[in-house]
Amino acid sequence: MLCALERSSANHASDADPAQCMDITTTTQSRWRWFGFARLAMERNTVSMIDINGRAPPSDLDAEASVLSTLLLEKSAIKKVRQILPEPSALYSPANKRILEGCYALVDEGKPVDITTVASWLRSREWLESVGGASYLVQIVDATPSVANVAAHARTVAEKWQLRKLIGTCQRIAAEGYGDVGEHNEFLNNAMTSIRGVCSSGEESTGRNIDAIMHDVYKDLMSDEPDDTEGIYTGIWALDRVNGPLRPGSVTTVLAYSSHGKSAFCACLVNFASQHGAGRARCSKCGDRPPCPWRKEYITNEPGPDVPVCEHCGGEVRGKKAGVLVFSGEMRDKDYGKRMVQIRSKVSLRDFKRGNVTPEERNAVIYAIEDIRQQKDALWIDDKTVDVIKLRSIVAQKRVEMAESDIELVAVVFDYAQRAKYGKGNFKGNRQQELAEVGRHLKGTALQENVAIILPAQLNEEARRRGLKPNAENVREAQDLVMDSDNTIVIYAPHRDASVDKDLSVHAHIRLPEPVQFRVGKGRDGQRGYVPGAFLPWITTFDTWRPSYGEYVLPEEQKEEKEHNKNWRR
């Protein structure tokens, strides 16, 4: 295999222009020692640069191979690499350029990326032998670097690419300077513009051309799914049907008065997302990506097939697991775990501890515990971190770890906003300014890590004492949080206040759902209004208001009805 590579290198070197060739023996032998290579199959350098004193342009072949190795083994890394290396020309080795071009092309076609598909793609274009054959791909894959470091390797490659572009630009300007430059100031301005353009291109690419954007728009609109193909649902059907999924890169602020269910709402979302997956599906046989069956079944409220199959090959369609991070500044991790079990089993754990449950309910609790334990790689709870700067690094780390287990990190819950800190407690400014920075930092984290962030925030108690309905204008200390949010959901639960006067010694065992309103104050589609819902206090969770719960009546409506009846009798 190695001899074949050497022969391939020798053939390419003999065909190349001597002024543009690299001495692969001296240049790469030390660089590829940890890969086990003696020589690397290389074609002539295609960058328009002149070697100075026999020195080759800047490059890092180790980093290039590390990036390619990761892409061939870990499909989740492609998106991150493409943000840093937007085009294959960023690589120095022409062989590596073609391999990277193949990886990107396969992703754009919706096909899996691995050594077999890339080799087939190269072979179809008669490029396989020119890159060193399938043996070169095998050698790259055999030298597997850490997936967690792929971004660092990609940035190294990008830096070398930028240096090569700068060198080439300066050489071009120097060559033009020896001739007739025309108008002096215009030449200098053009030279400065060219150099500035190269120097400012070192940042990761964040934009996309409109053709690629329209491709995604068309794909979403033509999909059989009744909603967007990305995002997570809250698990409250009536709200999800109206508001749609919470999209990656978005921040959703959940607002409510104290003890009105902010944490319960987030726990409901965490339970639903971890139980139902990321909303993406893939055929286990051909790799096709059909619409996710459970999303359509959930939103349309129509039963789907017991075992979804691919319409192309008949293989089983499997959903992708969803990862969720919870930063709980209010509850201990064990208490949050108990709430998850309670929601999943629909059994009061207080009754469970006291033995006031049926055998079926007891089994439901045990099953819920075992079911949640199976999600050990997908669900992670931190009850200590309140610094949002540290939070970003944790999210980035966990995203990579979950990707290694084929889990997609879809949501981050930070419970709750008024507990957050910006830095290690040394912020120079008042509390409102600090929370404004918290909101901006969380929005940046959502965009950078491509996750949906759910941020509960407490409303001002003064408005509550004045009898005002909750709204986004009454956020305690953190009005800027609402401005930086993509969605705001206000929980209006008036029965929570009335329940304080309930005699628990008499009514504790009564299971009565409490009517609530989910008020959509801000959403990406511009709709505002409310959705009726139910709070189930015995298991501390929310649900859609169902006919079995009785008549949906809020306390003020009952009061108005009593006043009407009183006036009518008069």
Side-chain angles (χ1 to χ4, degrees):
M1 183 182 295
L2 191 57
C3 293
L5 286 174
E6 291 177 350
R7 287 196 298 272
S8 176
S9 301
N11 291 337
H12 290 306
S14 63
D15 295 338
D17 183 351
Q20 292 184 322
C21 281
M22 294 180 54
D23 183 352
I24 61 172
T25 304
T26 58
T27 305
T28 65
Q29 192 166 14
S30 60
R31 293 181 177 182
W32 292 85
R33 184 172 293 112
W34 69 278
F35 278 103
F37 283 102
R39 294 184 181 179
L40 173 67
M42 292 285 291
E43 295 180 328
R44 63 175 178 265
N45 173 29
T46 59
V47 180
S48 180
M49 285 181 281
I50 302 172
D51 293 352
I52 300 175
N53 298 327
R55 290 179 298 176
S59 64
D60 192 325
L61 301 178
D62 286 355
E64 290 186 11
S66 297
V67 170
L68 294 177
S69 176
T70 304
L71 295 185
L72 292 173
L73 293 172
E74 183 51 61
K75 56 190 175 184
S76 63
I78 290 181
K79 192 168 188 178
K80 182 177 290 186
V81 169
R82 203 166 191 174
Q83 290 176 338
I84 304 172
L85 304 173
E87 52 188 84
S89 62
L91 275 59
Y92 179 67
S93 161
N96 292 343
K97 289 179 188 177
R98 288 181 170 176
I99 294 172
L100 185 61
E101 182 181 351
C103 292
Y104 287 175
L106 289 169
V107 170
D108 292 339
E109 295 169 8
K111 297 178 181 178
V113 176
D114 55 40
I115 188 171
T116 303
T117 56
V118 172
S120 177
W121 188 89
L122 292 169
R123 188 181 296 109
S124 67
R125 288 156 180 78
E126 299 182 352
W127 289 350
L128 184 58
E129 293 306 318
S130 68
V131 304
S135 59
Y136 180 49
L137 297 177
V138 172
Q139 286 175 315
I140 287 179
V141 170
D142 285 344
T144 310
S146 173
V147 175
N149 298 328
V150 66
H153 295 316
R155 277 190 285 270
T156 299
V157 174
E159 289 168 2
K160 300 298 182 183
W161 178 38
Q162 187 181 22
L163 287 175
R164 293 197 300 273
K165 289 193 293 183
L166 181 61
I167 292 171
T169 300
C170 291
Q171 288 179 345
R172 177 182 58 78
I173 294 171
E176 292 174 355
Y178 280 102
D180 182 10
V181 299
E183 206 282 318
H184 178 74
N185 288 333
E186 183 179 355
F187 174 75
L188 293 181
N189 288 335
N190 290 338
M192 285 190 294
T193 300
S194 298
I195 293 175
R196 191 181 298 116
V198 174
C199 294
S200 63
S201 65
E203 296 296 324
E204 297 177 9
S205 175
T206 56
R208 284 200 300 161
N209 129 355
I210 192 65
D211 178 60
I213 296 172
M214 288 299 104
H215 174 78
D216 288 349
V217 170
Y218 181 83
K219 186 177 178 180
D220 266 358
L221 294 178
M222 295 299 115
S223 169
D224 289 338
E225 296 186 34
D227 235 324
D228 289 336
T229 56
E230 292 184 304
I232 59 166
Y233 291 114
T234 65
I236 303 169
W237 182 80
L239 178 62
D240 293 333
R241 186 172 175 82
V242 171
N243 204 42
L246 308 181
R247 300 288 300 279
S250 68
V251 175
T252 299
T253 308
V254 181
L255 307 171
Y257 289 130
S258 176
S259 302
H260 274 215
K262 299 181 299 296
S263 298
F265 180 92
C266 293
C268 182
L269 181 148
V270 171
N271 174 71
F272 188 82
S274 62
Q275 188 175 17
H276 291 278
R280 304 179 193 277
R282 185 171 185 173
C283 175
S284 58
K285 187 175 180 180
C286 71
D288 187 49
R289 301 174 185 271
C292 186
W294 74 259
R295 285 171 73 94
K296 184 175 182 180
E297 179 180 347
Y298 172 65
I299 288 299
T300 61
N301 207 19
E302 297 175 356
D306 294 334
V307 181
V309 295
C310 176
E311 60 182 18
H312 295 110
C313 70
E316 182 181 355
V317 173
R318 298 173 182 172
K320 190 176 183 69
K321 286 186 178 180
V324 182
L325 303 183
V326 179
F327 295 88
S328 176
E330 194 170 37
M331 287 190 292
R332 296 183 307 162
D333 53 8
K334 185 172 70 172
D335 294 332
Y336 209 99
K338 288 181 178 179
R339 180 164 290 187
M340 292 286 296
V341 171
Q342 196 165 246
I343 294 172
R344 186 75 61 91
S345 66
K346 296 181 172 57
V347 177
S348 167
L349 294 189
R350 181 185 297 273
D351 290 344
F352 183 89
K353 287 290 291 181
R354 294 177 178 177
N356 298 329
V357 292
T358 65
E360 291 77 13
E361 290 175 328
R362 183 177 182 83
N363 290 336
V365 170
I366 295 173
Y367 176 80
I369 292 174
E370 290 301 317
D371 190 33
I372 294 172
R373 286 183 63 189
Q374 298 302 316
Q375 299 161 13
K376 60 181 180 181
D377 295 326
L379 185 55
W380 190 80
I381 301 173
D382 182 342
D383 61 1
K384 296 179 176 60
T385 299
V386 294
D387 176 9
V388 293
I389 297 178
K390 182 181 178 182
L391 176 143
R392 175 177 287 190
S393 62
I394 293 175
V395 171
Q397 176 189 350
K398 290 296 177 182
R399 186 166 179 250
V400 172
E401 291 178 2
M402 289 182 178
E404 292 175 352
S405 302
D406 198 28
I407 298 170
E408 180 180 353
L409 178 60
V410 295
V412 175
V413 175
F414 190 95
D415 189 5
Y416 59 101
Q418 281 82 5
R419 296 275 297 172
K421 292 183 179 180
Y422 188 81
K424 298 181 179 180
N426 54 356
F427 182 81
K428 295 181 180 179
N430 59 38
R431 184 59 177 157
Q432 289 184 346
Q433 292 171 332
E434 183 178 13
L435 286 177
E437 286 299 320
V438 165
R440 283 190 281 271
H441 196 81
L442 289 175
K443 178 59 180 177
T445 301
L447 290 171
Q448 180 177 328
E449 300 301 329
N450 199 39
V451 297
I453 291 184
I454 295 86
L455 181 65
Q458 198 169 93
L459 295 176
N460 198 319
E461 289 299 306
E462 179 61 29
R464 182 185 196 176
R465 285 190 288 269
R466 288 162 55 192
L468 299 178
K469 290 184 178 181
N471 63 74
E473 297 176 359
N474 297 327
V475 182
R476 179 165 65 88
E477 302 177 321
Q479 183 61 41
D480 287 343
L481 284 176
V482 178
M483 296 173 60
D484 290 326
S485 298
D486 300 274
N487 311 287
T488 60
I489 299 173
V490 182
I491 301 173
Y492 178 42
H495 277 281
R496 291 280 80 205
D497 293 329
S499 64
V500 176
D501 298 325
K502 182 172 63 178
D503 185 351
L504 291 177
S505 64
V506 177
H507 300 287
H509 65 284
I510 298 177
R511 304 291 191 253
L512 288 178
E514 300 174 0
V516 300
Q517 287 182 352
F518 300 108
R519 295 173 169 261
V520 181
K522 184 179 179 182
R524 71 179 187 279
D525 59 358
Q527 290 193 97
R528 302 183 66 182
Y530 73 87
V531 174
F535 180 68
L536 313 181
W538 62 96
I539 55 175
T540 326
T541 191
F542 288 98
D543 190 13
T544 298
W545 188 267
R546 304 175 185 277
S548 59
Y549 293 160
E551 186 181 2
Y552 179 85
V553 182
L554 295 177
E556 62 264 29
E557 294 172 346
Q558 292 176 337
K559 183 177 179 181
E560 291 173 0
E561 185 178 357
K562 287 180 181 178
E563 289 292 332
H564 173 76
N565 292 336
K566 184 177 179 181
N567 294 333
W568 184 80
R569 290 191 188 96
R570 289 177 181 175

